[in-house]
Amino acid sequence: MEIMSISSRLAAEHGCVLPLYKFSTIRGCLGHGLRKVICIKSKSECSGCSVIKHCPYVLMFDNTITQSEFLPFVSYSANTSKSFIEGDELDVRLTLLGSAAKYASYAVLALQEVCAGGIGAERAKFKVTDEPVLELKELTFREHAAGVYRIHILSPLRAKQGSRLAKSVSLEKIISLAKHRIEMLYSFSKESIPEDFPDNFSFQEISCETRWIDIERYSNRQSTKMSLGGFVGFMDYEDKNGATAALIDFAANLHIGKQTTFGYGKIYQEKIR
């Protein structure tokens, strides 16, 4: 399974204020930027467009049209600064999953359009300081040794428990989310799940240090502010045969849970013993 990662460094052209967590803001701007640079119809609505089945914007940003649960695009920034002065840098990472990897050049153009048009409520202008780095990566399930691992939840993790948002997060829940995300990726790309897909999990959760944080974002589509919180923190577990670590390591490339396209659910795993 291929994914394309695009790493870019932006620099503020003047002083501005951005949200603490910027990935949702960046994703919204990228959607507008992509439509602007590729749309040949200049229509306000995509429905009814004669090229809708071949449109990168619809594929990556608009599942109200595709009616797909899966969106093969993730935007993320680890930067948590709120105040920027001229020259301050903002790192942005875009990930195109599966068959969407072929649209990397469009994503780069959209990012350039975002910089020119401005980011956030203030429409803060940025410029791309370096040539974006594109990395095409072939994802495989690597063998992992038994041992103690730590999962870091770096951006809010949102998950459903029945019809409601989960009020806690456990290793069992993370495994379920990781499996679902991977299965959706292979289904989207019309590829068979590899035979070495881990399924013989044997683990013991040791500790869980997570907390809920709230993030407010403005939805242009719904013309309203939305509260989209989630869990951040870390979790330690013992993997008795390496299968759980292999699954989590693979899923860490994709983000897990709900609103992944906005940068939610970024995880990172390390072996600590």
Side-chain angles (χ1 to χ4, degrees):
M1 176 62 65
E2 291 184 341
I3 66 170
M4 177 69 79
S5 295
I6 305 170
S7 300
S8 187
R9 183 172 297 163
L10 316 181
E13 294 191 350
H14 52 76
C16 63
V17 176
L18 293 177
L20 182 66
Y21 295 98
K22 302 163 187 63
F23 29 80
S24 177
T25 300
I26 293 169
R27 188 268 185 190
C29 294
L30 282 165
H32 288 290
L34 184 59
R35 282 196 66 173
K36 188 171 182 178
V37 298
I38 70 167
C39 185
I40 62 174
K41 298 281 189 174
S42 299
K43 297 176 65 176
S44 59
E45 297 292 334
C46 296
S47 57
C49 178
S50 59
V51 296
I52 196 170
K53 293 183 179 180
H54 309 285
C55 178
Y57 170 81
V58 169
L59 177 77
M60 293 190 285
F61 286 92
D62 199 344
N63 58 354
T64 63
I65 293 174
T66 61
Q67 297 298 304
S68 171
E69 180 185 344
F70 187 86
L71 285 172
F73 178 85
V74 176
S75 62
Y76 181 73
S77 175
N79 186 299
T80 53
S81 298
K82 295 184 71 175
S83 297
F84 289 75
I85 61 173
E86 182 179 352
D88 280 354
E89 294 186 338
L90 172 62
D91 291 332
V92 175
R93 186 177 182 88
L94 312 178
T95 307
L96 285 70
L97 308 174
S99 54
K102 62 187 176 184
Y103 296 123
S105 57
Y106 291 114
V108 172
L109 287 174
L111 185 60
Q112 293 171 346
E113 182 63 33
V114 166
C115 290
I119 299 174
E122 299 180 5
R123 289 293 180 259
K125 298 293 193 297
F126 282 76
K127 60 182 177 181
V128 180
T129 60
D130 300 312
E131 189 73 20
V133 177
L134 278 66
E135 179 187 4
L136 185 63
K137 184 177 181 181
E138 181 71 29
L139 294 186
T140 58
F141 291 102
R142 299 186 300 107
E143 288 189 8
H144 285 62
V148 177
Y149 290 83
R150 174 168 292 175
I151 301 172
H152 298 269
I153 306 174
L154 302 177
S155 66
L157 174 62
R158 294 168 57 82
K160 282 283 191 73
Q161 192 71 43
S163 60
R164 297 178 178 272
L165 281 175
K167 295 182 179 181
S168 62
V169 62
S170 64
L171 178 57
E172 187 174 353
K173 187 64 175 178
I174 287 179
I175 291 172
S176 175
L177 293 172
K179 288 179 63 178
H180 180 69
R181 179 73 165 157
I182 293 168
E183 289 166 354
M184 290 294 292
L185 170 60
Y186 277 92
S187 175
F188 165 81
S189 296
K190 296 180 173 57
E191 294 186 25
S192 299
I193 294 178
E195 293 182 359
D196 58 353
F197 184 82
D199 59 3
N200 57 330
F201 305 114
S202 180
F203 59 85
Q204 178 66 50
E205 185 176 322
I206 299 172
S207 63
C208 182
E209 299 288 338
T210 59
R211 70 186 192 279
W212 179 275
I213 61 172
D214 282 310
I215 297 179
E216 198 172 71
R217 67 174 293 268
Y218 184 82
S219 171
N220 286 307
R221 180 175 294 171
Q222 300 183 35
S223 299
T224 186
K225 286 185 177 181
M226 304 173 65
S227 181
L228 294 176
F231 292 97
V232 296
F234 66 89
M235 177 185 301
D236 294 344
Y237 72 96
E238 180 185 4
D239 189 343
K240 299 178 181 180
N241 60 7
T244 303
L247 179 82
I248 299 301
D249 189 57
F250 188 104
N253 294 281
L254 314 177
H255 293 225
I256 62 172
K258 294 178 64 62
Q259 277 82 39
T260 51
T261 189
F262 292 101
Y264 286 71
K266 180 172 178 57
I267 60 174
Y268 163 73
Q269 178 177 255
E270 61 176 333
K271 190 173 187 290
I272 57 177
R273 287 202 300 275

